Structure formats: C-alpha cells, structure tokens
C-alpha cells in the first residue's frame, strides 16, 4: 500500500475532540488529520474520521485513499474497493488510489484488472516504482517477458 501524502500534522487535542459541536464543524482537512492521528490507536475511529472528511468535502481525494487502505488492511475488500472507486469517480485519476486499488484486485485474484490499474497509475505518475514492480510481476506471470523486463528496468531506475 501507499499512504496518501500528508501536509501538516494533527495535534493531540484534535484526536480528543469527539461528538461536540466543534467536531461537527470540522473541515475535511481537519477530519483527515484527526483520522491519521487515530490510525494506530483506534482504526475504527480513524475510518469514521475519514468518512467524516469525505462527508465534509466529497472531493477530498486523500481521505478516500487512506480509508480504502485501512479497510483493505482489515480484510474488508468489497468495502475498500467501493471507497477507492467512489474516490476515483468523484476526484478523478489519482495514481496512489489507482495503485492501491490494483493491489486490492491482485489480492482478490483479479490480476488482469490489477494490471490495467497499474498501467493507469503509471499514466498519471510514470515514475511510480511500485507500480512498475507489480506490473512486471503480473506480466512475467502471463508470459509477457518483454513488457515484464521493461517494467522491471523502470522499477530499478525509479526505486533509488
């Protein structure tokens, strides 16, 4: 998985505010930072905070990415897939979400769909080393040696 990049950080106070009028008036960005601060200690509360971020700003792409990643890690694959797809539909192509959805589809034994998503992620971010690596493995498994070698070479180039 790849985490969505974060600018700034949440304060300990942010994670403690709950259910109050202040909590209901938080922005998508504030909910997002609260969710990040809760991920290790309370994954369910973090997922709820990501959902609040999405409700506050339906175009806040990093919230979809991180919520999808957390749900995937919890084994909630269908829900994670729905979140990734909703985020992509609302926010447009995002290489991190495309990559993470590809990983989820690989984990669901849907390798052809995963390969297509890795290719889309690479269209958006040609230097995404992890997408090149995963695509190289899928191409190799399908007997597509030339494409596998090309992606493995790109992985080596961009993974420094």
């Amino acid at each position: 998985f790849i985490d969505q990049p974060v600018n700034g950080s949440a304060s300990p106070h942010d994670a403690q505010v709950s259910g109050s009028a202040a909590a209901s008036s938080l922005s998508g960005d504030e909910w997002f930072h609260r969710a990040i601060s809760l991920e290790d200690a309370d994954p369910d509360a973090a997922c709820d905070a990501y959902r609040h971020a999405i409700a506050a700003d339906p175009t806040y792409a990093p919230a979809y990415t991180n919520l999808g990643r957390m749900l995937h890690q919890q084994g909630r694959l269908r829900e994670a897939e729905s979140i990734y797809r909703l985020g992509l539909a609302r926010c447009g192509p995002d290489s991190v979400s495309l990559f993470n959805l590809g990983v989820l589809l690989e984990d669901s034994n849907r390798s052809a769909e995963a390969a297509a998503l890795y290719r889309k992620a690479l269209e958006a971010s040609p230097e995404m080393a992890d997408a090149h690596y995963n695509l190289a493995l899928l191409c190799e498994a399908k007997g597509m040696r030339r494409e596998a070698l090309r992606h493995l070479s790109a992985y080596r180039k961009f993974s420094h």
Side-chain angles (χ1 to χ4, degrees), residues 17-132:
V17 177
S18 62
S20 67
S24 65
S25 67
L26 295 178
S27 70
D29 192 54
E30 290 166 324
W31 277 113
F32 179 78
H33 289 289
R34 175 182 290 185
I36 288 170
S37 72
L38 292 168
E39 280 192 7
D40 293 331
D42 192 345
D44 290 332
C47 286
D48 289 341
Y50 284 127
R51 285 186 180 91
H52 282 291
I54 291 166
D57 181 356
T59 63
Y60 198 84
Y64 294 96
T65 301
N66 285 12
L67 177 56
R69 174 186 45 80
M70 291 198 67
L71 294 169
H72 185 174
Q73 289 172 331
Q74 294 172 3
R76 297 160 64 181
L77 302 184
R78 285 188 184 151
E79 192 176 353
E81 181 178 351
S82 294
I83 291 295
Y84 283 133
R85 291 191 187 279
L86 182 61
L88 290 165
R90 288 182 175 171
C91 306
D94 167 56
S95 60
V96 174
S97 290
L98 290 165
F99 174 81
N100 284 2
L101 180 54
V103 172
L104 182 146
L105 294 176
E106 254 192 284
D107 289 349
S108 301
N109 297 315
R110 295 160 61 188
S111 60
E113 291 174 82
L117 285 166
Y118 294 144
R119 286 183 180 96
K120 284 183 182 179
L122 290 169
E123 287 174 19
S125 295
E127 297 180 3
M128 184 181 262
D130 290 336
H132 282 291

Side-chain angles (χ1 to χ4, degrees), residues 4 6 11 20 36 55 62 66 96 121 158 160:
Q4 186 65 37
V6 178
S11 71
S20 67
I36 288 170
N66 285 12
V96 174
F158 297 126
H160 47 345

